[in-house]
Amino acid sequence: MRIATLSALVLAACAIGRPAVAADGDPVRGAGIYQRCQACHSLDRNRSGPKHCGLFGRKAGSVPGYRYSKAMLRAGFVWDAASLDRFLANPMKAMPGTRMGYAGVRDPGERADLIAYLRVATAGPPDCP
């Protein structure tokens, strides 16, 4: 009986694992994690990385005035929680040829917090200041 209960719990955890974490991220903790990103990114202006304002729902490689890698220009997806989770885990593995030389946010909980923060902080229009 104990093995059956344990197996059911493990299966339930696997079924809800990553998506549940991304949905349950804490934007307050994510704000602190975003400080690591600010060496290259800003919410409101392009730096060595593109601005994040209007990120969710935006086609990858589409911020006007930013010079993207060929890999990002060919990406063909829209940024959402799942695509950010994949990319932020290991940008160079997720998109070979990206200019984002950051090793990634390995911890799934930290990624979920960062994504929750980005969802809130970038909710302005795509051309926000």
Side-chain angles (χ1 to χ4, degrees):
M1 184 65 176
R2 294 174 83 189
I3 293 174
T5 303
L6 181 59
S7 296
L9 289 173
V10 169
L11 286 173
C14 289
I16 62 172
R18 208 180 270 229
V21 169
D24 294 338
D26 181 340
V28 174
R29 284 192 306 253
I33 297 164
Y34 188 73
Q35 290 179 356
R36 298 180 215 163
C37 308
Q38 291 178 322
C40 299
H41 292 278
S42 171
L43 293 175
D44 61 350
R45 62 181 161 68
N46 292 333
R47 299 180 73 186
S48 60
K51 68 181 179 178
H52 285 144
C53 185
L55 178 64
F56 276 79
R58 182 172 71 211
K59 183 180 178 210
S62 68
V63 170
Y66 185 78
R67 201 183 104 195
Y68 287 98
S69 65
K70 290 179 183 176
M72 188 63 76
L73 290 171
R74 291 190 303 255
F77 62 85
V78 171
W79 292 113
D80 61 15
S83 59
L84 280 167
D85 187 54
R86 251 186 328 275
F87 186 74
L88 292 172
N90 187 334
M92 293 176 284
K93 182 178 177 186
M95 186 178 296
T98 184
R99 288 191 185 124
M100 187 163 157
Y102 183 64
V105 180
R106 303 282 187 209
D107 182 89
E110 284 190 356
R111 279 197 315 277
D113 293 341
L114 178 57
I115 291 165
Y117 169 74
L118 287 169
R119 182 183 306 276
V120 172
T122 69
D127 62 342
C128 53

